[in-house]
Amino acid sequence: DIVMTQSPDSLAVSLGERATINCKSSQSILHSSNNKNFLAWYQQKPGQPPNLLIYWASTRKSGVPDRFSGSGSGTDFTLTISSLQAEDVAVYYCQQYYTTYTFGQGTKLEIK
Amino acid sequence: QVQVVESGGGLVKPGGSLRLSCAASGFTFSGYYMSWIRQAPGKGLEWVSYIGSNGSTTHYADSVKGRFSISRDNAKNSLYLQMSGLRVEDTALYYCVSGLEYWGPGTLVTVSS
């Protein structure tokens, strides 16, 4: 099974500053058939189901603010929030869908 | 608009059984693979099972293999999860998910004596 490891477990960032969350997979999730990374990012606020932000590692879902961006390839990935807003306080998860599904343990993002 | 709604959760004793249902609307249900993903109270997300668009392909997490069974009825736009041999550690909010994008609000399963 592919293991997904996020860092850090929690993060406090000032409003307007950049937030960066990392995700590492135990094996490459870049598929040679389409040259795409099978990696998604979700945001989960208390009492709500997760909300898909990014898929194929860097494709933003329609309606997601452009301050959210995803990058990386192979085994190392990053979610960046370029200018933190109060409504971005949440837990963020990465997920691989290369073989079945696996989620990272989550990163709790708070305001400093 | 897209709606995904789970039902069937509840309190069950260890070793018991439960059947979860998921009703979907607002999208072409038969064109999507569907999944069950769970979240124990205060914990992270755990994939449980998924099923291909026509029902011929199914996969299960090791933690539920042999105890849970996923199925779908494309004529009724519905997804199911038959759970048996339930354990305390199966206690969680169970989400029905279409592809990656559409998640229901979840149905709570509590396994306790």
Side-chain angles (χ1 to χ4, degrees):
Chain A
D1 291 0
I2 298 176
V3 177
M4 306 299 289
T5 304
Q6 290 181 227
S7 61
D9 290 334
S10 62
L11 180 62
V13 174
S14 300
L15 290 173
E17 296 300 304
R18 178 185 300 260
T20 302
I21 298 170
N22 300 301
C23 176
K24 188 174 184 67
S25 59
S26 59
Q27 66 185 72
S28 176
I29 54 176
L30 172 63
H31 208 291
S32 57
S33 66
N34 59 4
N35 203 37
K36 288 183 182 292
N37 291 281
F38 284 55
L39 191 282
W41 288 98
Y42 294 87
Q43 174 193 65
Q44 187 178 31
K45 297 181 179 180
Q48 297 182 19
N51 178 42
L52 177 67
L53 297 174
I54 287 168
Y55 56 98
W56 298 133
S58 59
T59 301
R60 202 179 304 114
K61 191 187 87 171
S62 176
V64 172
D66 61 6
R67 63 180 181 273
F68 291 91
S69 64
S71 62
S73 184
T75 60
D76 292 281
F77 302 90
T78 300
L79 174 70
T80 301
I81 307 172
S82 60
S83 176
L84 189 71
Q85 305 299 303
E87 61 266 31
D88 300 335
V89 169
V91 178
Y92 292 83
Y93 295 93
C94 63
Q95 176 207 27
Q96 67 80 19
Y97 48 100
Y98 185 90
T99 59
T100 64
Y101 292 167
T102 320
F103 291 90
Q105 78 275 19
T107 295
K108 186 174 184 179
L109 177 58
E110 299 173 314
I111 305 293
K112 185 188 291 183
Chain B
Q1 74 279 23
V2 172
Q3 273 204 311
V4 176
V5 180
E6 306 90 343
S7 61
L11 175 63
V12 62
K13 288 183 167 50
S17 298
L18 213 52
R19 188 194 196 208
L20 305 184
S21 299
C22 170
S25 61
F27 64 99
T28 307
F29 180 79
S30 60
Y32 282 78
Y33 60 93
M34 298 292 296
S35 306
W36 289 100
I37 292 168
R38 68 186 181 184
Q39 188 168 33
K43 302 297 185 183
L45 301 168
E46 180 188 15
W47 168 74
V48 172
S49 179
Y50 71 57
I51 186 167
S53 58
N54 64 6
S56 61
T57 301
T58 58
H59 292 279
Y60 299 91
D62 288 344
S63 58
V64 306
K65 204 171 290 184
R67 300 188 298 123
F68 290 11
S69 177
I70 191 171
S71 62
R72 66 190 296 162
D73 184 337
N74 285 345
K76 295 182 177 179
N77 288 353
S78 294
L79 177 72
Y80 307 100
L81 185 68
Q82 179 67 48
M83 305 186 294
S84 60
L86 283 162
R87 303 167 181 168
V88 170
E89 56 265 34
D90 294 319
T91 295
L93 189 62
Y94 284 73
Y95 294 107
C96 169
V97 186
S98 170
L100 299 178
E101 185 174 2
Y102 303 127
W103 293 61
T107 187
L108 181 63
V109 172
T110 303
V111 185
S112 174
S113 54

